[in-house]
């Protein structure tokens, strides 16, 4: 399989070749449309000046000697008289083939425009074609005789060094371009190769990956995003391992209790009262395991969003009153006072799941509120629906509030040794509220109390 480095180099070389070819074609088009005619006119003018110079100023000079002097000025001359006698001066033409009728027309006084009249290829290289057909033919009279003079600049003598320099320039440009392409492509591809190696390490479970994120381009942004993704995956893996550890611990504790008390009962020889007490503990631990498994299934379903959330319209105020009645035995045992402010409120949410939300939140308020305390439950709507549960309990520290929605977090047990639970209740509450597109806020002060505000989006209802 071709590497990215090879593909990029190949692409850049192709760009150089294609650009050079297109540039050559554009230059050729410009030559064919403009420079070819201009070049012909220039050579015609030079040839006419050569003839005028001879006829007016050098008529007494021997014609071959004059033509030799002119040829020494880097011209190629081809002279034909009426009898077909040919004389050449200067560098020889590579091809001296020319049709006799062309010569006769020039002898008759016409001008031969071979640069534009003849085909010399479609490319600008036709300008350098060293043939007699690629010249200008002009009539000349000398010593009472008629001549046909064919004129062409000696390109090799005029631009020979330029040809070499131009060829060296093109070769140097191509080689240097290729060298810089190889160097800078490696500079471009190297961070991508490092990212590829980093992904392999990440797939193998290695998260300590160092990348250069100081670049201020797309690759630097990619490296930054990759580093952030790696950190997120590391945190997710840590949370997974911690979650497994916590689940194992939560399951192991009641299982150990059940196993221990079961063995004690099977050993026999204990009073019936103690046996009944052990059986009650086994039953309580079994309920705890059952509750833990239900909570884990609820969290898994909410995380996957498997359709567990089924919203419907119902009276939120009636639901909160039913939850208060459901927990009546708990708050009456502590002689708590409950104050309700529940106006008629219609909400669109999952009734069963939010019943669990209010039970968890109100149970926590009852659990952490000292005897003879007060709990306030109210509903506000403007326009979103907000349920506020405020108590005069022991409060939550700032440090605990940062972790209170983490799974299996149980806070500082030293402040309330009777408080037990799996540490999943508030995590489930937060997840249900998030699925409902709502929000939950907690404000608390140690020794004063806690206020929990759950906000749900108001549903637009058609006017009747």
């Amino acid at each position: 399989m071709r590497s990215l480095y090879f593909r990029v180099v190949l692409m850049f070389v192709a760009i150089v070749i294609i650009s050079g070819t297109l540039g050559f074609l554009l230059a050729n088009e410009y030559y064919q449309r403009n420079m070819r005619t201009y070049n012909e006119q220039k050579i015609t003018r030079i040839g006419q000046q050569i003839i005028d110079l001879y006829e007016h100023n050098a008529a007494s000079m021997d014609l071959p000697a004059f033509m030799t002097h002119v040829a020494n000025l880097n011209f190629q001359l081809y002279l034909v008289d009426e009898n077909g006698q040919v004389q050449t001066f200067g560098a020889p033409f590579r091809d001296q083939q020319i049709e006799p009728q062309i010569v006769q027309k020039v002898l008759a006084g016409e001008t031969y425009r071979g640069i534009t009249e003849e085909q010399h290829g479609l490319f600008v290289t036709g300008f350098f074609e060293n043939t007699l057909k690629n010249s200008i033919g002009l009539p000349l009279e000398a010593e009472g005789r008629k001549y046909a003079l064919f004129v062409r600049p000696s390109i090799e003598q005029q631009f020979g060094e330029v040809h070499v320099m131009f060829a060296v320039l093109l070769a140097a440009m191509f080689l240097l371009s290729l060298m810089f392409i190889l160097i800078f492509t490696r500079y471009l591809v190297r961070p991508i190769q490092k990212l590829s190696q980093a992904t392999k390490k990440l797939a193998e479970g290695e998260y300590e990956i160092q990348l250069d994120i100081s670049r201020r381009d797309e690759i630097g942004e990619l490296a930054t995003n990759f580093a952030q993704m790696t950190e997120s995956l590391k945190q997710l893996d840590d949370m997974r391992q911690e979650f497994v550890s916590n689940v194992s611990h939560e399951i192991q504790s009641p299982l150990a209790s059940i196993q221990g008390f079961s063995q004690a009962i099977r050993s026999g020889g204990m009073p019936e009262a103690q046996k009944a007490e052990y059986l009650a503990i086994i039953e309580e631990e079994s309920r705890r395991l059952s509750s833990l498994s239900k909570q884990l299934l609820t969290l898994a379903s909410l995380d996957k969003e498997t359709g567990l959330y089924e919203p419907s319209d119902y009276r939120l105020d009636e639901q909160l009153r039913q939850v208060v009645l459901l927990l009546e035995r708990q708050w009456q045992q502590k002689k708590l006072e409950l104050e309700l402010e529940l106006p008629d409120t219609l909400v669109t949410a999952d009734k069963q799941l939010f019943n669990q939300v209010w039970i968890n939140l109100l149970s926590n308020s009852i659990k952490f509120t000292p005897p003879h305390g007060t709990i306030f439950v109210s509903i506000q709507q403007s326009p979103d629906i907000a349920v506020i549960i405020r108590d005069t309990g022991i409060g939550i520290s700032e440090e605990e509030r940062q972790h209170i929605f983490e799974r299996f977090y149980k806070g500082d047990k030293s402040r309330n040794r009777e408080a037990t639970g799996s540490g999943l209740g508030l995590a489930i509450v937060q997840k249900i509220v998030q699925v409902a597109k709502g929000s939950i806020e907690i404000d608390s002060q140690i020794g004063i109390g806690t206020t929990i505000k759950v906000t749900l989006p108001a549903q637009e209802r058609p006017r009747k």
Side-chain angles (χ1 to χ4, degrees):
M1 183 178 66
R2 294 179 178 179
S3 64
L4 178 63
Y5 177 74
F6 177 79
R7 291 176 183 271
V8 174
V9 169
L10 189 63
M11 180 184 68
F12 283 162
V13 171
I15 289 174
V16 171
I17 295 174
I18 293 173
S19 299
T21 303
L22 291 177
F24 176 78
L25 292 175
L26 289 174
N28 176 74
E29 183 67 19
Y30 179 75
Y31 169 76
Q32 297 292 342
R33 290 180 177 271
N34 302 283
M35 296 302 296
R36 190 176 180 183
T37 302
Y38 170 78
N39 184 48
E40 179 197 80
Q41 294 173 352
K42 182 179 70 173
I43 297 175
T44 302
R45 186 170 59 254
I46 292 173
Q48 192 63 52
Q49 289 175 353
I50 293 173
I51 294 173
D52 292 343
L53 180 64
Y54 176 78
E55 291 179 347
H56 293 90
N57 300 311
S60 60
M61 183 182 294
D62 181 53
L63 181 60
F66 176 77
M67 292 298 173
T68 300
H69 285 297
V70 173
N72 290 336
L73 298 175
N74 293 328
F75 285 97
Q76 294 174 272
L77 303 177
Y78 185 88
L79 189 66
V80 185
D81 63 10
E82 297 173 324
N83 299 322
Q85 295 295 322
V86 177
Q87 299 179 69
T88 60
F89 305 92
F93 289 95
R94 182 179 57 82
D95 183 4
Q96 297 185 2
Q97 297 293 329
I98 192 168
E99 297 177 2
Q101 56 266 31
I102 294 177
V103 177
Q104 293 301 321
K105 287 181 179 180
V106 175
L107 289 172
E110 296 183 15
T111 299
Y112 170 67
R113 305 178 185 277
I115 295 177
T116 56
E117 292 178 0
E118 301 292 341
Q119 294 293 331
H120 306 291
L122 298 177
F123 297 109
V124 69
T125 52
F127 171 73
F128 302 99
E129 184 179 312
N130 185 19
T131 63
L132 188 57
K133 288 184 178 181
N134 192 26
S135 65
I136 299 297
L138 298 169
L140 169 66
E141 291 187 10
E143 301 173 353
R145 301 176 64 182
K146 293 183 178 181
Y147 293 89
L149 177 62
F150 294 89
V151 182
R152 172 177 169 77
S154 180
I155 303 298
E156 287 192 12
Q157 292 184 10
Q158 290 185 0
F159 304 105
E161 295 81 1
V162 177
H163 284 168
V164 175
M165 185 178 67
F166 189 66
V168 172
L169 177 63
L170 286 178
M173 286 179 59
F174 181 78
L175 293 176
L176 288 174
S177 299
L178 183 60
M179 182 181 69
F180 285 127
I181 286 172
L182 293 172
I183 294 173
F184 288 111
T185 300
R186 183 168 296 279
Y187 171 77
L188 177 67
V189 172
R190 184 180 291 120
I192 300 178
Q193 292 174 336
K194 289 183 178 179
L195 280 173
S196 178
Q197 296 172 359
T199 55
K200 293 180 181 179
K201 292 182 179 180
L202 186 62
E204 295 171 356
E206 183 178 346
Y207 298 104
E208 299 299 329
I209 302 174
Q210 298 295 327
L211 292 174
D212 181 14
I213 59 177
S214 61
R215 297 177 54 145
R216 293 295 180 266
D217 55 9
E218 288 80 358
I219 294 180
E221 183 179 358
L222 178 61
T224 301
N225 293 335
F226 184 86
Q228 293 174 351
M229 181 190 69
T230 302
E231 183 63 25
S232 298
L233 289 175
K234 183 177 183 300
Q235 293 177 358
L236 185 62
D237 188 63
D238 292 341
M239 290 174 60
R240 179 184 60 81
Q241 294 180 8
E242 183 180 1
F243 181 79
V244 172
S245 176
N246 289 331
V247 170
S248 300
H249 175 75
E250 291 294 330
I251 292 177
Q252 185 65 31
S253 179
L255 283 178
S257 298
I258 293 173
Q259 184 180 8
F261 288 116
S262 298
Q263 291 176 351
I265 293 174
R266 288 181 60 188
S267 63
M270 66 173 58
E272 289 297 326
Q274 188 176 12
K275 184 185 297 185
E277 181 182 354
Y278 285 0
L279 288 173
I281 294 175
I282 292 174
E283 183 180 0
E284 181 63 28
E285 294 296 334
S286 300
R287 290 197 189 98
R288 182 179 169 189
L289 279 176
S290 177
S291 175
L292 177 62
S293 64
K294 289 179 181 178
Q295 289 178 328
L296 290 173
L297 287 174
T298 300
L299 271 176
S301 299
L302 290 171
D303 286 337
K304 293 182 179 180
E305 298 182 359
T306 55
L308 180 65
Y309 188 80
E310 298 179 353
S312 61
D313 294 342
Y314 67 92
R315 288 276 297 276
L316 179 59
D317 56 300
E318 292 182 356
Q319 184 182 43
L320 289 170
R321 290 188 182 93
Q322 290 175 1
V323 171
V324 170
L325 291 175
L326 180 65
L327 301 175
E328 182 178 7
R329 188 175 67 87
Q330 298 179 22
W331 54 267
Q332 282 191 350
Q333 283 180 347
K334 301 181 72 173
K335 294 181 170 42
L336 302 179
E337 181 179 353
L338 264 73
E339 297 184 6
L340 308 180
E341 186 178 342
L342 305 175
D344 294 349
T345 306
L346 190 64
V347 70
T348 302
D350 190 304
K351 186 175 183 179
Q352 181 178 356
L353 289 179
F354 269 92
N355 197 65
Q356 186 175 353
V357 168
W358 312 132
I359 290 176
N360 282 338
L361 293 179
L362 197 55
S363 296
N364 282 342
S365 292
I366 295 172
K367 186 185 300 182
F368 293 103
T369 300
H372 305 287
T374 304
I375 298 176
F376 305 88
V377 182
S378 63
I379 296 177
Q380 297 178 359
Q381 189 170 4
S382 60
D384 291 340
I385 301 170
V387 176
I388 300 173
I389 300 175
R390 180 165 53 89
D391 61 52
T392 58
I394 59 178
I396 307 171
S397 67
E398 178 65 29
E399 181 181 356
E400 288 181 350
R401 285 207 301 273
Q402 296 177 2
H403 305 281
I404 198 168
F405 292 113
E406 294 179 5
R407 299 176 185 187
F408 295 104
Y409 182 77
K410 297 183 181 181
D412 187 3
K413 300 183 183 64
S414 63
R415 294 187 294 109
N416 192 337
R417 300 187 180 276
E418 296 179 358
T420 59
S422 64
L424 293 174
L426 288 178
I428 293 175
V429 166
Q430 185 189 46
K431 192 64 181 179
I432 293 173
V433 173
Q434 288 177 348
V435 172
K437 311 299 182 185
S439 63
I440 181 169
E441 302 173 12
I442 295 183
D443 184 24
S444 183
Q445 293 183 3
I446 297 294
I448 296 178
T450 301
T451 300
I452 300 177
K453 181 180 180 181
V454 177
T455 304
L456 300 175
Q459 302 292 327
E460 295 185 0
R461 307 184 186 283
R463 297 180 179 178
K464 296 183 179 180

